[in-house]
Amino acid sequence: MDLAPLITERVCRVTGGARVALHEPCFKGNEWAYVKECIDTGWVSSVGSYVDRFERDLAEVTGAKHAVVVSNGTSGLQIALQVSGVQPGDEVIIPALSFVATANAVMHCGAHPHFADSDAATLGLCPAALADYLPTILEQRAGVSVNRHTGRRIAAIVPMHTFGHPVDMPALMDVANRFGIVVVEDAAESLGSLIDGRHTGTHGRCAMLSFNGNKIVTTGGGGAIVTDDTQLAKHAKHLTTTAKQPHKWAFFHDEVGYNYRMPNLNAALGCAQLEQLEGFVAAKRELATRYTAAFADLPGVVLFTERAGTRANYWLQTLILDRAVAGQRDAILAHTNDAGQMTRPVWELLTQLPMYSACPAMETPVAKDLALRIINLPSGPQLVTGIA
Ligand SMILES: Cc1ncc(COP(=O)(O)O)c(C=O)c1O
């Protein structure tokens, strides 16, 4: 069966058929009023009341004690890793199936990514595979978990909640605790996603959120570190604001800091967007229901849906092709895009990228299989009118 025209027809049925991007931002709330206020008052740069408010609002929405807003998710993950103790020369376990920024942030710390396999049930890091793998590579040296093949410390594990579908965090935390390894969550895609009512990003030591233009809530560009650890939050704020000791006029910096601040203008946009988060999540969940219904009669494809006990934000709607029809993926991508319906495959596995191909990795059969069978569909909340 030639699936491409059948899939295009069903996508058009759900989206209305007009040309549509993969994920467009939706500005229907107080965005203009808050941004205008910044311009009217002159508070457009790296300090201002919206920066403080956005941090408070993010803490409230996620249930984390603290949020530190930053210039983007990549810089946020780098700092989250650094303040969690990752040092140059360490190794950090990350999924092979992730956006390149997860690995880049590890490298920006001077550390090395070590790639792990995915769980087909969540699309994220597989706790069971990790539990089997770690004893085969780890040895304890002076109470530290070291990769016996490279001699490097395994300093952190970074689960990533793919397209807003939560990793099995209770199981992952179990594995990490068993081996005494810190967990830092890449929650770039999962604002609004919950596990048993608890927000993703609040299970590990700390987490990063992204507010890039394509995310469920955008600040244009931006990110945040969320954590319950007060000292860690203070250190993250200090490092991301040039490590300047507070003083009325003196410029004394006590570490090599970064200018990773989020400007007040962007935070203003974020505050207005965050007010609408529940509406966005509701719209995207309704969109998932509509895609599921539209594809119900089509053999060979299924919309990926949330696991029991979780609430996914359905950031990007995800169609999974049966193995038997995976060879049609590129034809489906071409047909839908030609019809103005923007779809895309999942990222190339990080283990396939030239700068990461020599990094340590476990076998990744599930990630390899998923990488051939995922197609993301148009996902903007405005595709469901009346909710967002
Ligand atoms: C999984 C993942 N990690 C990291 C990032 C990096 O975030 P940013 O683009 O805000 O730097 C993104 C998004 O872009 C992402 O999807």
Side-chain angles (χ1 to χ4, degrees), residues 59-299:
E60 191 182 321
V61 163
T62 59
K65 276 202 187 119
H66 308 279
V68 175
V69 293
V70 292
S71 50
N72 56 58
T74 311
S75 60
L77 185 56
Q78 176 200 331
I79 298 300
L81 290 167
Q82 282 182 214
V83 295
S84 299
V86 173
Q87 296 188 355
D90 284 339
E91 272 172 32
V92 176
I93 293 185
I94 69 170
L97 189 68
S98 186
F99 180 56
V100 69
T102 314
N104 289 347
V106 172
M107 294 293 280
H108 296 159
C109 299
H112 304 264
H114 185 141
F115 297 106
D117 204 11
S118 307
D119 179 351
T122 66
L123 308 179
L125 263 190
C126 180
L130 211 51
D132 288 345
Y133 175 67
L134 286 176
T136 69
I137 60 149
L138 282 188
E139 76 188 24
Q140 297 297 316
R141 290 188 198 161
V144 173
S145 289
V146 171
N147 178 346
R148 71 162 70 95
H149 304 296
T150 60
R152 296 192 288 239
R153 182 173 75 118
I154 306 275
I157 301 174
V158 181
M160 190 280 281
H161 306 290
T162 313
F163 310 137
H165 291 282
V167 168
D168 183 349
M169 286 307 295
L172 188 84
M173 290 309 298
D174 250 19
V175 177
N177 291 337
R178 210 179 310 154
F179 294 97
I181 304 175
V182 169
V183 171
V184 174
E185 296 175 64
D186 180 339
E189 306 182 351
S190 67
L191 182 63
S193 297
L194 313 174
I195 303 168
D196 287 328
R198 183 167 162 188
H199 208 287
T200 49
T202 61
H203 296 75
R205 171 86 50 95
C206 61
M208 168 275 275
L209 307 172
S210 167
F211 310 113
N212 186 34
N214 62 355
K215 295 298 187 288
I216 188 163
V217 156
T218 185
T219 58
I225 298 161
V226 291
T227 184
D228 281 344
D229 183 325
T230 304
Q231 278 313 109
L232 188 148
K234 270 193 187 149
H235 194 194
K237 188 73 179 175
H238 189 61
L239 267 186
T240 54
T241 55
T242 71
K244 180 180 179 298
Q245 287 189 354
H247 192 279
K248 268 191 183 138
W249 60 81
F251 279 81
F252 190 85
H253 307 258
D254 54 15
E255 279 187 87
V256 179
Y258 302 84
N259 179 8
Y260 284 171
R261 292 175 285 213
M262 175 184 284
N264 201 45
L265 261 180
N266 302 71
L269 202 54
C271 289
Q273 286 266 285
L274 204 54
E275 290 170 349
Q276 302 162 77
L277 175 63
E278 281 305 312
F280 293 157
V281 172
K284 290 157 88 55
R285 293 173 63 75
E286 170 62 21
L287 196 56
T289 304
R290 293 184 191 179
Y291 275 127
T292 300
F295 288 113
D297 66 339
L298 196 61

Side-chain angles (χ1 to χ4, degrees), residues 367-383:
K368 280 184 183 138
D369 177 51
L370 284 172
L372 301 173
R373 301 199 287 129
I374 287 175
I375 292 181
N376 290 126
L377 305 174
S379 302
Q382 57 280 80
L383 294 173

